Amino acid sequence: MKKRIVTLFTVFLVAISSTAQKVEFEEYKLDNGMHVILHQDNSAPVVVTSVMYHVGAKDEQPDRTGMAHFFEHLLFEGTKNIKKGEWFKIVSSNGGRNNATTDDDRTYYYEIFPSNKIELGLWMESERLLHPIIGQEGVNTQNEVVKEEKRLRVDNQPYSRFLENVKLNMFKRHPYKGTTIGKMEHLDAATLEEFLAFNKKYYVPNNATLVVAGDINMNEAKKMIDSYFGSIPKGEEIKRDFPKEDPITEPIKATAYDPNIQIPAIITAYRTPSMKTRDSRVLDMISSYLSTGRSSVLYKKIVDDKKMALQVGAINLSQEDYGTYVLYGLPQGENKLEDLIKEIDEEVVKIQTDLISEKDYEKLQNQFENNFVSSNSSVEGIASSLATYHVLFGDANLINTEIDIYRSITREEMREVAKKYLNPNQRLILEYLPEKK
């Protein structure tokens, strides 16, 4: 009887979330190709103005890595109508905050303002697009900023290069083999003309998605958007034809060294399909089953019970073109790296062989329901999700429907997907070791 009550309660929660969490939005295109998404939520006097550009590290030339991330910084330098150093002052003095992020696939800029400052946010983003000042002085300034960021976040952080080394060994042709922050010698060598050309190619309306979300009047917002963005000239069509990777059919063994660590790590990584595929979402569930929370399979077995590791984990790093599925562990005491591989592999084989329990399956479903509710719980999160789903998935309404995909994934699918992708002959084995002084 108790189990039936719990099951009915779970069904009730799913029914509530599937209706109460629906995000209403409107989307359309300007004549210059800019995609616009509007979401009205008048529950709080806040508005998000954001632009996602479909440009990331994978769009760079092999000898000019780091350009997209560099532009994340450079496009705060100033514009024709915003003086150097004034961008952040304008935002903060009007009660707002702002930020930007870059990855391999996209760059995202956003401001969060009191809703009566919506026009200011739109004007600033239109200025960034239409009138950026890209000069040698700004390039030199941001070059030093990026170098300092690399020193702080990469060069001097323990385990900060493990993903860099995974990608370097997993990808031989596709530009995912590089890093988002890039190589500093490439940025040093880049000319002003190259920076101007990168801007002209990628930071154009037809490569941009504008999301305005929050306490807005839809008709007034549309008029302001047309006023500030409608006349910006369309850019040249961007053509992408990235090289494809050959399947991995034999184990790849590699070693990397980190001067900032004392404890080694072992990493196994598998190349997996695009984030847009159903299989990628199944892998999300497998990674959650293996390593989300202290009660997860790998943590409970290897860290808590056997005390063989300080840390273990599974990550489904899904991206627009490919994914990388990573399993890792840091040994404790006298345990060896190969001991951790053996223990982790045993749990993967169990997923490939047997169905996970009904109890664990319900736990997974609840985790993904909670994630769904959390991601849509703020206007800031909704704006980011709408932009991401449109730019990288081609369907903004996934903000409402992706949870249905996760709900429909079965235990049998988890078993089959694990058998399809997580095999010893399809992986990288990377020993991540302390660098000897």
Side-chain angles (χ1 to χ4, degrees):
M1 180 64 181
K2 183 178 179 182
K3 181 179 178 182
R4 177 171 171 76
I5 290 172
V6 170
T7 302
L8 287 172
F9 182 65
T10 302
V11 171
F12 176 72
L13 284 177
V14 170
I16 291 293
S17 66
S18 65
T19 54
Q21 293 296 319
K22 182 172 172 56
V23 175
E24 301 289 348
F25 63 92
E26 182 179 340
E27 57 184 333
Y28 61 96
K29 258 190 169 52
L30 299 179
D31 290 342
N32 57 18
M34 172 174 263
H35 197 85
V36 179
I37 305 176
L38 303 177
H39 165 67
Q40 184 174 348
D41 179 355
N42 302 119
S43 60
V46 174
V47 65
V48 177
T49 54
S50 64
V51 178
M52 183 173 286
Y53 294 92
H54 196 180
V55 56
K58 73 179 180 191
D59 294 293
E60 300 157 356
Q61 295 299 313
D63 60 349
R64 289 295 182 267
T65 61
M67 293 286 276
H69 172 256
F70 192 89
F71 266 81
E72 175 197 319
H73 293 265
L74 187 61
L75 292 184
F76 283 106
E77 266 291 299
T79 76
K80 177 181 172 183
N81 298 300
I82 300 174
K83 293 180 180 179
K84 180 181 174 66
E86 290 294 310
W87 187 285
F88 297 101
K89 293 178 184 177
I90 293 172
V91 172
S92 60
S93 65
N94 282 277
R97 58 188 175 89
N98 66 300
N99 210 336
T101 64
T102 307
D103 63 24
D104 286 347
D105 298 313
R106 95 294 179 272
T107 303
Y108 184 57
Y109 300 88
Y110 65 92
E111 296 80 31
I112 305 169
F113 277 120
S115 53
N116 63 349
K117 299 295 182 179
I118 177 176
E119 189 166 7
L120 176 62
L122 292 172
W123 173 71
M124 293 184 79
E125 285 302 334
S126 69
E127 277 289 301
R128 193 198 311 272
L129 183 56
L130 185 59
H131 297 131
I133 293 178
I134 300 172
Q136 195 61 55
E137 181 184 355
V139 167
N140 293 343
T141 299
Q142 295 308 322
N143 204 349
E144 292 306 312
V145 171
V146 170
K147 286 178 180 177
E148 181 61 19
E149 181 181 349
K150 185 174 183 292
R151 282 190 285 268
L152 289 172
R153 295 188 180 181
V154 180
D155 296 345
N156 298 312
Q157 286 293 323
Y159 303 101
S160 60
R161 302 175 194 169
F162 98 81
L163 184 59
E164 173 184 341
N165 283 280
V166 167
K167 293 171 66 178
L168 184 64
N169 286 282
M170 290 289 286
F171 295 98
K172 303 301 181 184
R173 299 177 180 174
H174 192 281
Y176 282 162
K177 64 186 176 183
T179 63
T180 304
I181 203 162
K183 295 182 179 179
M184 297 303 100
E185 59 266 29
H186 291 172
L187 294 176
D188 288 340
T191 65
L192 180 59
E193 288 70 26
E194 287 175 307
F195 285 109
L196 290 167
F198 195 84
N199 180 75
K200 183 179 180 181
K201 181 174 182 179
Y202 292 109
Y203 299 87
V204 291
N206 43 305
N207 197 43
T209 294
L210 169 69
V211 179
V212 183
D215 183 24
I216 64 174
N217 177 289
M218 299 286 275
N219 290 329
E220 290 179 4
K222 288 178 182 178
K223 290 177 183 176
M224 284 186 276
I225 289 167
D226 186 63
S227 173
Y228 286 110
F229 293 92
S231 62
I232 299 176
K234 185 176 184 177
E236 294 291 328
E237 181 184 355
I238 297 170
K239 297 179 181 178
R240 292 179 172 90
D241 185 21
F242 299 117
K244 303 293 190 293
E245 291 287 340
D246 292 328
I248 298 172
T249 57
E250 295 181 358
I252 303 168
K253 293 189 177 182
T255 305
Y257 297 92
D258 188 331
N260 302 307
I261 66 172
Q262 294 179 323
I263 299 171
I266 190 67
I267 299 154
T268 61
Y270 308 77
R271 194 185 309 131
T272 52
S274 162
M275 66 200 321
K276 294 179 269 193
T277 63
R278 183 179 178 90
D279 282 358
S280 179
R281 292 167 172 111
V282 178
L283 288 162
D284 285 339
M285 296 194 77
I286 293 172
S287 65
S288 291
Y289 170 73
L290 286 172
S291 74
T292 296
R294 298 176 71 90
S295 64
S296 61
V297 170
L298 292 181
Y299 192 94
K300 189 172 188 310
K301 173 189 175 184
I302 304 175
V303 178
D304 272 358
D305 295 346
K306 295 195 172 185
K307 295 180 170 47
M308 294 177 63
L310 297 168
Q311 188 176 346
V312 291
I315 306 166
N316 183 33
L317 178 62
S318 54
Q319 297 179 272
E320 187 177 17
D321 295 345
Y322 288 102
T324 305
Y325 194 90
V326 177
L327 293 151
Y328 68 93
L330 277 66
Q332 180 169 248
E334 299 300 315
N335 291 289
K336 296 180 170 53
L337 298 180
E338 53 266 31
D339 297 332
L340 294 190
I341 289 183
K342 180 175 178 293
E343 296 292 335
I344 292 170
D345 282 352
E346 282 182 3
E347 296 309 312
V348 172
V349 170
K350 286 180 184 178
I351 300 173
Q352 293 172 326
T353 307
D354 305 315
L355 299 180
I356 69 170
S357 71
E358 284 279 8
K359 181 180 177 181
D360 286 332
Y361 178 73
E362 281 196 16
K363 177 184 170 184
L364 274 178
Q365 288 291 343
N366 290 335
Q367 286 176 354
F368 279 82
E369 289 286 343
N370 289 336
N371 293 342
F372 166 69
V373 172
S374 297
S375 65
N376 292 351
S377 64
S378 70
V379 174
E380 182 179 350
I382 288 172
S384 175
S385 292
L386 285 169
T388 299
Y389 282 126
H390 170 71
V391 172
L392 300 184
F393 293 80
D395 181 6
N397 197 45
L398 281 168
I399 196 171
N400 294 311
T401 61
E402 188 176 42
I403 188 60
D404 296 326
I405 301 174
Y406 287 110
R407 288 173 185 150
S408 69
I409 291 170
T410 65
R411 296 184 298 154
E412 288 80 6
E413 277 185 281
M414 292 177 65
R415 181 179 62 192
E416 295 309 309
V417 167
K419 286 165 64 175
K420 185 176 181 179
Y421 297 106
L422 306 182
N423 298 303
N425 67 313
Q426 296 171 289
R427 71 183 180 186
L428 163 71
I429 301 175
L430 175 67
E431 291 188 354
Y432 192 81
L433 307 175
E435 186 174 283
K436 295 178 181 179
K437 302 293 184 181

